[in-house]
């Protein structure tokens, strides 16, 4: 029971429908977290890690290991509002199906009521959600990735607004039955459903990641993108970093990248250029709106990192490793060493002679299957990150100077180019993406999985309306001269022999340096057909082994490849249907004209 009538009524309604054995309101305390973990350990679902006090390992069901895009729905009233990139089901039909599935689905389980704040508690940029879940694992993860419990209830008061997020693993227990393993439902009964008009989320059948931690992709991106459209702000799949130059001046940069482009690594980058410092504000999501001074301000709505473990090492992401080394972390689907530590492929230490793999089986370096699942995860508090910015929880957000977009493009796209203006930047965001395979570049030219602003699976409405919203933000900016500048970066360009041309990792700070210099008016650039490009000597290569010839290749504009790109963009736009913003057609026409000019 709370002071909030609407919340109480909803909890009562869900309790009657799902029929849990009991209802527990989460207060968010450490004691509560500890006792939930103990419960999970006693049930055999969690393993305390001897080598990492305060850390626990979970193994999911092998069928429940990642977001399930084909079971994720945008149930807007009208199909056309979901657009061509979302799965749509009529909301009434979906609710009927789900009400059937939810009936009695929490038998033998506890229903946890988890109030959470996306963004610092009480910030004018934050929003509240309430997750009702029958998974203690979810409660523990939410306590790390969001801010939960009593402080949130206080802000909610008796009539505050919240997004209702209903979650069940979809596995009721018979009297006396206990979980033998990670509970979840069959694939065909999993539903990750969004009701954008109602601002509600109903998730059923999965206990994993974004399917179950409903504050993240479901709320902070899919539902929030709809709220943002209606309220004139932006909910984006972007990291936020703070970069400080040797003069001590700080700039804030956001970045949108499709998966497998090193977004978390960039957010925590260790710069190689002397005197420059990078600090983290967020690694996955940015909520942005204009401040009183006319600049665009961003908050990280999350409080922790839910990062991919596989491939994370002191070399690829030193600061992420240090964050988990500080304890208080949950590991899911990684290997368990005999001395009680975690291990995964790419962790940077030799494989132990024996471990228990993510499926719970004996594993040796001779085993055919990997020790950790490719989408294994760590859940860890952002506050433990050694380079967390001291203002990462500023309730007013941080002012953004530059927006990066990127993808994995072995050809065509140069190391970095800057858009002519906001609208041209939106065009670049609309065409970003990654080439599908890493095979020879020639065969793949043009075969790009386009992923506008890395939001393809996360836009809660029609992709055309989403891109139009980006144009509207620019058009309605209180002071257009204060809009962030947009840059398309590509760390993944290869030469003809297939060799990477750019070393990446910490060296990416050299590109960031040019980006910042462009924002402060110092960076040298030339105007080209595709945008503003650094001159050959504009990117600081002091102490870096990249030749002039390689730099020229990294910055080369191959007109034939770009004309292919134009054709491929047009083909892609055609799949968006008749409501494609006219401005995008204008942009691609103008690009073609410049290339042919
Ligand atoms: O599982 S999550 O959606 O939270 C993570 C991801 O897929 O990026
Ligand atoms: Mn993400």
């Amino acid at each position: 029971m709370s002071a909030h009538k609407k919340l109480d009524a909803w909890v009562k309604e869900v309790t009657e429908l799902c029929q849990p054995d009991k209802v527990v309101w989460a207060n968010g305390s450490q004691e509560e977290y500890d006792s939930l973990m103990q419960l999970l350990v006693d049930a055999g679902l969690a393993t305390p890690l001897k080598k990492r006090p305060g850390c626990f390992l979970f193994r999911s069901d092998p069928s429940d290991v990642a977001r399930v895009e084909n079971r994720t729905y945008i149930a807007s009233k009208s199909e056309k509002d979901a657009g061509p990139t979302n799965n749509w089901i009529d909301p009434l039909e979906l609710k009927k199906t789900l009400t059937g599935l939810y009936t009695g689905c929490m038998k033998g389980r506890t229903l946890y009521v988890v109030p959470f704040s996306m963004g610092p508690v009480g910030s004018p940029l934050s929003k509240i959600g309430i997750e009702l879940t029958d998974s203690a694992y979810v409660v523990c993860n939410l306590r790390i990735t969001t801010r939960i419990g009593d402080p949130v209830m206080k802000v909610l008061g008796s009539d505050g607004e919240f997004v209702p997020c209903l979650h069940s693993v979809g596995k009721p227990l018979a009297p006396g039955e206990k979980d033998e393993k990670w509970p979840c439902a069959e694939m065909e009964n999993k539903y990750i459903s969004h009701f954008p008009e109602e601002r509600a989320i109903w998730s059923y059948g999965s206990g994993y990641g974004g399917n179950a931690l409903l504050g993240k992709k479901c709320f902070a991106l899919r539902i929030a993108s709809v709220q943002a459209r209606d309220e004139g702000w932006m909910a984006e799949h972007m990291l936020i970093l703070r970069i400080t130059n040797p003069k001590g001046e700080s700039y804030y940069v956001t970045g949108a990248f499709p998966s497998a482009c090193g977004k978390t690594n960039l957010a925590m980058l260790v710069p190689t250029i002397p005197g420059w410092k990078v600090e983290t504000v967020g690694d996955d999501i940015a909520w942005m709106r204009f401040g009183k001074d006319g600049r665009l301000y961003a908050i990280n709505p999350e409080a922790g990192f839910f990062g991919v473990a596989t491939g994370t090492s002191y070399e690829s992401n030193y600061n992420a490793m240090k964050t988990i080394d500080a304890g208080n972390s949950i590991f899911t689907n990684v290997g368990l060493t005999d001395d009680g530590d975690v291990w995964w492929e790419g962790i940077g230490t030799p494989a132990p002679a024996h471990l228990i793999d993510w499926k719970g089986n004996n594993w040796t370096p001779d085993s055919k299957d990997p020790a950790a699942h490719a989408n294994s995860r760590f859940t860890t508090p952002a506050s433990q990150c050694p380079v967390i910015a001291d203002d990462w929880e500023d309730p007013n957000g941080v002012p953004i100077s530059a927006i990066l977009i990127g993808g994995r493009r072995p050809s065509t796209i140069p190391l970095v180019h800057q858009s002519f203006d906001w609208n041209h930047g939106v065009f670049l965001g609309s065409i970003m993406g990654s080439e599908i395979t890493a095979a020879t570049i020639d065969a793949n030219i043009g075969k790009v999985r386009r992923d506008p602003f890395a939001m393809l699976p996360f836009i809660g409405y029609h992709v055309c309306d989403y891109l139009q919203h980006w144009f509207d933000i620019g058009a309605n900016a209180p002071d257009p001269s204060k809009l962030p500048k947009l840059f398309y970066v590509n760390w993944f360009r290869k030469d003809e022999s297939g060799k990477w041309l750019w070393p990446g990792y910490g060296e990416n700070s050299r590109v960031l340096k040019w980006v910042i210099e462009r924002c402060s008016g110092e960076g040298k650039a030339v105007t080209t057909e595709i945008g503003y490009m650094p001159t050959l000597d504009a990117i600081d290569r002091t102490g870096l082994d990249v030749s002039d010839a390689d730099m020229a290749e990294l910055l080369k504009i191959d007109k034939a490849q770009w004309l292919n790109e134009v054709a491929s963009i047009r083909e892609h736009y055609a799949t968006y249907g008749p409501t494609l913003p006219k401005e995008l057609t204008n942009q691609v026409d103008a690009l073609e004209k410049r290339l042919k000019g």
Side-chain angles (χ1 to χ4, degrees):
M1 286 284 283
S2 71
H4 199 293
K5 278 211 188 74
K6 205 170 143 203
L7 171 57
D8 282 358
W10 178 55
V11 173
K12 182 160 175 276
E13 187 193 320
V14 170
T15 306
E16 282 166 9
L17 176 66
C18 300
Q19 302 160 38
D21 283 5
K22 56 179 179 167
V23 178
V24 169
W25 291 66
N27 62 25
S29 68
Q30 182 69 46
E31 295 71 40
E32 176 183 82
Y33 178 88
D34 294 343
S35 69
L36 287 175
M37 270 302 177
Q38 195 53 51
L39 211 94
L40 289 158
V41 170
D42 293 344
L45 299 176
T47 308
L49 293 167
K50 267 197 238 96
K51 274 288 179 76
R52 294 178 180 267
C55 295
F56 298 86
L57 167 75
F58 288 80
R59 294 186 198 103
S60 80
D61 189 274
S63 71
D64 197 29
V65 292
R67 277 186 294 105
V68 281
E69 288 185 17
N70 61 337
R71 306 296 310 168
T72 300
Y73 299 94
I74 301 297
S76 43
K77 287 186 180 137
S78 155
E79 178 168 9
K80 71 176 190 331
D81 290 337
T85 60
N86 283 310
N87 298 315
W88 179 83
I89 304 186
D90 175 75
L92 294 176
E93 189 191 314
L94 183 56
K95 283 196 170 176
K96 209 167 134 208
T97 306
L98 279 167
T99 302
L101 289 169
Y102 280 127
T103 302
C105 73
M106 295 187 187
K107 279 192 181 145
R109 298 190 184 278
T110 301
L111 165 59
Y112 299 96
V113 181
V114 190
F116 63 93
S117 175
M118 296 314 289
V121 178
S123 153
L125 282 81
S126 298
K127 291 202 179 275
I128 290 175
I130 312 274
E131 180 155 346
L132 305 191
T133 177
D134 55 5
S135 163
Y137 167 83
V138 164
V139 182
C140 291
N141 274 272
L142 282 177
R143 184 169 182 271
I144 298 173
T145 56
T146 73
R147 297 144 176 106
I148 70 166
D150 289 348
V152 182
M153 285 305 288
K154 226 175 173 168
V155 173
L156 187 69
S158 58
D159 60 354
E161 247 182 62
F162 66 91
V163 169
C165 306
L166 173 54
H167 172 250
S168 172
V169 295
K171 179 88 178 52
L173 294 167
E177 188 188 348
K178 295 223 153 49
D179 282 321
E180 270 155 37
K181 54 175 189 124
W182 176 276
C184 61
E186 268 78 72
M187 190 56 89
E188 63 272 20
N189 282 335
K190 293 191 211 285
Y191 288 90
I192 320 302
S193 335
H194 307 74
F195 301 93
E197 287 96 354
E198 245 183 80
R199 320 265 198 253
I201 299 160
W202 291 19
S203 167
Y204 184 90
S206 167
Y208 204 87
N211 302 331
L213 311 176
L214 302 185
K216 199 172 173 67
K217 311 293 187 184
C218 294
F219 180 175
L221 290 176
R222 296 195 194 95
I223 292 296
S225 66
V226 176
Q227 295 176 309
R229 174 199 62 190
D230 293 349
E231 297 165 10
W233 53 283
M234 310 175 88
E236 295 296 332
H237 190 201
M238 289 179 176
L239 65 87
I240 311 168
L241 62 80
R242 171 178 168 167
I243 179 161
T244 305
N245 67 18
K247 286 184 262 179
E249 296 156 343
S250 288
Y251 294 82
Y252 298 89
V253 177
T254 63
F257 297 87
S259 56
C261 289
K263 188 160 138 225
T264 301
N265 302 354
L266 184 63
M268 299 173 199
L269 167 126
V270 182
T272 50
I273 19 174
W276 287 73
K277 188 160 93 178
V278 168
E279 292 160 294
T280 312
V281 177
D283 79 322
D284 196 36
I285 299 174
W287 283 0
M288 300 187 282
R289 58 169 94 215
F290 290 110
K292 286 196 189 73
D293 61 358
R295 298 188 67 187
L296 198 58
Y297 281 75
I299 60 163
N300 169 11
E302 299 188 275
F305 309 129
F306 184 66
V308 177
T310 304
T312 302
S313 65
Y314 289 105
E315 200 200 343
S316 71
N317 195 335
Y318 177 82
N319 289 312
M321 292 297 282
K322 283 303 206 191
T323 310
I324 59 183
D325 287 348
N328 309 306
S329 301
I330 297 172
F331 297 89
T332 310
N333 289 347
V334 302
L336 171 67
T337 65
D338 293 347
D339 60 351
D341 201 353
V342 289
W343 191 86
W344 52 74
E345 282 71 21
I347 197 172
T349 53
H354 173 265
L355 55 70
I356 303 294
D357 71 11
W358 71 276
K359 290 181 177 166
N361 298 324
N362 286 310
W363 185 95
T364 71
D366 293 333
S367 299
K368 277 198 317 294
D369 296 327
H373 187 273
N375 190 40
S376 66
R377 296 276 170 165
F378 53 78
T379 317
T380 193
S383 59
Q384 292 183 180
C385 180
V387 294
I388 198 77
D390 59 7
D391 50 0
W392 79 282
E393 296 190 281
D394 189 324
N396 297 314
V398 293
I400 302 304
S401 296
I403 296 175
L404 310 180
I405 53 168
R408 253 175 204 271
R409 296 294 306 268
S411 77
T412 316
I413 310 289
L415 176 63
V416 57
H417 65 295
Q418 181 189 349
S419 74
F420 294 121
D421 54 24
W422 181 267
N423 280 8
H424 182 232
V426 177
F427 167 67
L428 296 183
S430 81
I431 65 168
M432 63 178 262
S434 290
E435 267 168 52
I436 293 160
T437 73
T440 64
I441 53 174
D442 288 31
N444 278 309
I445 290 174
K447 284 199 196 121
V448 182
R449 184 191 191 243
R450 301 209 187 261
D451 185 353
F453 290 104
M455 280 288 280
L456 203 60
F458 307 122
I459 305 169
Y461 56 107
H462 197 299
V463 61
C464 291
D465 298 339
Y466 167 77
L467 292 167
Q468 184 58 49
H469 181 58
W470 265 89
F471 288 126
D472 293 345
I473 287 284
N476 298 328
D479 180 348
S481 74
K482 291 182 178 168
L483 278 168
K485 299 192 181 335
L486 285 103
F487 298 83
Y488 195 153
V489 298
N490 177 26
W491 322 126
F492 302 97
R493 184 121 174 202
K494 291 182 171 176
D495 70 8
E496 255 123 59
S497 72
K499 177 189 87 160
W500 303 113
L501 286 162
W502 183 249
Y505 297 108
E507 307 297 358
N508 293 343
S509 58
R510 298 170 188 272
V511 175
L512 289 179
K513 179 182 171 197
W514 182 74
V515 163
I516 294 315
E517 287 167 349
R518 289 297 293 164
C519 294
S520 65
E522 297 151 78
K524 283 198 279 177
V526 285
T527 305
T528 73
E529 297 87 342
I530 64 166
Y532 300 121
M533 302 264 304
T535 53
L536 200 58
D537 60 343
I539 292 179
D540 188 345
R541 275 181 286 151
T542 320
L544 180 69
D545 187 21
V546 170
S547 66
D548 280 351
D550 279 355
M551 199 63 196
E553 193 60 31
L554 277 161
L555 298 176
K556 189 169 93 185
I557 302 169
D558 180 322
K559 284 203 187 169
Q561 286 183 1
W562 270 96
L563 286 167
N564 273 343
E565 186 78 9
V566 164
S568 144
I569 293 166
R570 289 195 195 282
E571 235 173 77
H572 181 71
Y573 279 172
T575 67
Y576 286 176
T579 57
L580 183 81
K582 186 79 185 59
E583 178 62 13
L584 289 176
T585 315
N586 294 345
Q587 288 284 343
V588 72
D589 289 348
L591 170 62
E592 183 167 20
K593 210 165 140 209
R594 290 193 300 270
L595 289 165
K596 287 185 169 163

